């Protein structure tokens, strides 16, 4: 497990000071990587609308608002930036389905164990991986996510693709596959926003919901070819049940109106 400094710049993305300054300077909302419209098939497939959802590193994104419009009933949003949280509290003060708290994802001890049915992370772990003490910060955050998930709950994790290396399973899986997390992990790949498939491309177009096969070590097959190296990776990590000696949980929850 390591921090690939080639994929980072000089900013410390794990520092509240950086994010407070950024949110003070930049007006309007911003959604990292993908908007809800692109992620909706995954969210609806793996997360029930009645589940209690934790959005880590919410920033000033509108994804939680879009999820409420789509029927989600209970979303707790946390971010290390007091500026972002104050802004979002004011913006959504009359929407009871949305709650906001200033919090460092490396220490979410405010919440009891197994509090949430789902956790969504759209770039927060990436940010910590560009900060100081990256492996330690990543382990702290992922340990907290695992602790907070109910058995059978899902951690939906979105990363950018191979061009910046962080989404690549060979970099990501060593962090996610710690036995203490008790996760069953599935990988999906979706095009980056605005990607146009080349007309000369002869391979059949695959569904975004088609799971990407991985080796026993959780890596991409050597023969796997990405059509677009800037595609985004979606990891679906389902928490197994400690009380079950066979570590068997029901299949991923599927909303009746998933797609």
């Amino acid at each position: 497990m390591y921090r690939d400094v080639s994929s980072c710049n000089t900013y410390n993305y794990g520092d509240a000071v950086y994010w407070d300054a950024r949110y003070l300077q930049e007006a309007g909302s911003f959604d990292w990587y993908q908007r809800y419209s692109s992620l909706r098939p995954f969210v609806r497939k793996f997360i029930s609308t009645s589940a209690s959802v934790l959005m880590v590193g919410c920033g000033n994104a509108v994804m939680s608002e879009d999820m409420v419009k789509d029927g989600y009933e209970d979303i707790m949003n946390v971010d290390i930036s007091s500026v972002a949280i104050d802004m979002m509290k004011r913006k959504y003060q009359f929407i009871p389905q949305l709650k906001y708290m200033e919090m460092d994802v490396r220490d979410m001890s405010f919440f009891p164990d197994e509090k949430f049915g789902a956790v969504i992370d759209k770039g927060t772990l990436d940010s910590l991986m560009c900060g100081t003490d990256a492996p330690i910060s990543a382990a702290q955050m992922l340990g907290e996510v695992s602790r907070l998930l109910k058995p059978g709950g899902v951690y939906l994790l979105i990363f950018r693709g191979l061009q910046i290396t962080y989404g690549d399973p060979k970099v990501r899986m060593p962090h996610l596959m710690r036995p203490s997390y008790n996760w069953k992990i599935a990988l999906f790949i979706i095009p980056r926003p605005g990607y146009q498939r080349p007309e000369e491309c002869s391979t059949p177009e695959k569904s975004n919901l088609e799971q990407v096969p991985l080796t026993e070590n959780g890596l991409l097959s050597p023969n796997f070819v990405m059509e677009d190296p800037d595609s985004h990776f979606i990891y679906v990590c389902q928490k197994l049940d400690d009380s079950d000696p066979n570590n068997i949980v029901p299949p991923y929850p599927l909303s009746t109106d998933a797609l």
Side-chain angles (χ1 to χ4, degrees):
M1 290 181 288
Y2 55 90
R3 172 178 182 257
D4 183 350
V5 295
S6 66
S7 299
C8 303
N9 56 31
T10 57
Y11 298 121
N12 185 359
Y13 290 131
D15 190 343
V17 173
Y18 166 79
W19 291 108
D20 283 345
R22 178 164 178 164
Y23 289 124
L24 283 171
Q25 293 171 2
E26 298 180 1
S29 60
F30 180 77
D31 270 279
W32 290 88
Y33 302 164
Q34 299 275 351
R35 291 187 174 275
Y36 179 64
S37 56
S38 299
L39 298 174
R40 182 181 186 272
F42 299 92
V43 175
R44 297 291 293 196
K45 180 174 183 178
F46 297 119
I47 303 175
S48 167
T49 54
S50 61
S52 55
V53 178
L54 175 64
M55 185 77 67
V56 292
C58 62
N60 60 3
V62 298
M63 179 162 172
S64 294
E65 175 189 346
D66 291 339
M67 288 178 64
V68 168
K69 291 177 180 177
D70 200 24
Y72 284 86
E73 302 168 0
D74 181 12
I75 305 177
M76 170 61 73
N77 301 270
V78 300
D79 199 280
I80 198 172
S81 169
S82 60
V83 173
I85 292 298
D86 289 345
M87 180 190 314
M88 300 302 270
K89 278 183 175 179
R90 291 193 300 270
K91 182 177 181 181
Y92 296 116
Q93 59 183 312
F94 300 116
I95 300 182
Q97 299 94 326
L98 294 177
K99 304 173 185 67
Y100 288 86
M101 290 188 67
E102 179 187 348
M103 190 174 295
D104 188 329
V105 294
R106 292 166 289 193
D107 179 9
M108 295 186 282
S109 53
F110 176 86
F111 300 122
D113 295 355
E114 300 180 0
K115 166 73 173 174
F116 298 99
V119 178
I120 299 177
D121 174 1
K122 200 151 64 80
T124 300
L125 186 58
D126 264 353
S127 295
L128 290 180
M129 291 300 297
C130 280
T132 55
D133 299 322
I136 295 174
S137 292
Q140 290 172 330
M141 174 185 168
L142 293 173
E144 284 288 82
V145 170
S146 177
R147 179 184 68 82
L148 293 176
L149 272 178
K150 297 177 181 180
V154 167
Y155 177 33
L156 193 66
L157 185 59
I158 298 95
F159 293 110
R160 291 180 65 183
L162 293 174
Q163 288 288 66
I164 68 161
T165 77
Y166 273 0
D168 190 342
K170 72 174 180 286
V171 176
R172 191 55 62 209
M173 280 299 195
H175 293 279
L176 298 177
M177 291 182 67
R178 288 191 174 190
S180 60
Y181 301 153
N182 258 357
W183 288 338
K184 178 179 72 173
I185 303 173
L187 174 64
F188 302 85
I189 297 178
I190 63 174
R192 57 190 158 96
Y195 173 71
Q196 298 292 324
R197 198 165 190 261
E199 293 182 3
E200 64 273 14
C201 188
S202 59
T203 58
E205 189 169 1
K206 297 181 179 179
S207 165
N208 291 339
L209 288 170
E210 182 176 335
Q211 187 173 331
V212 177
L214 298 172
T215 68
E216 290 183 1
N217 296 324
L219 304 179
L220 292 172
S221 165
N223 300 323
F224 183 81
V225 178
M226 284 189 63
E227 187 175 293
D228 173 23
D230 282 325
S231 292
H232 292 168
F233 289 69
I234 298 179
Y235 292 83
V236 179
C237 309
Q238 185 180 35
K239 185 176 181 179
L240 300 176
D241 190 348
D242 271 334
S243 65
D244 187 336
N246 298 313
N247 263 341
I248 297 175
V249 295
Y252 291 115
L254 179 61
S255 173
T256 55
D257 55 347
L259 301 179

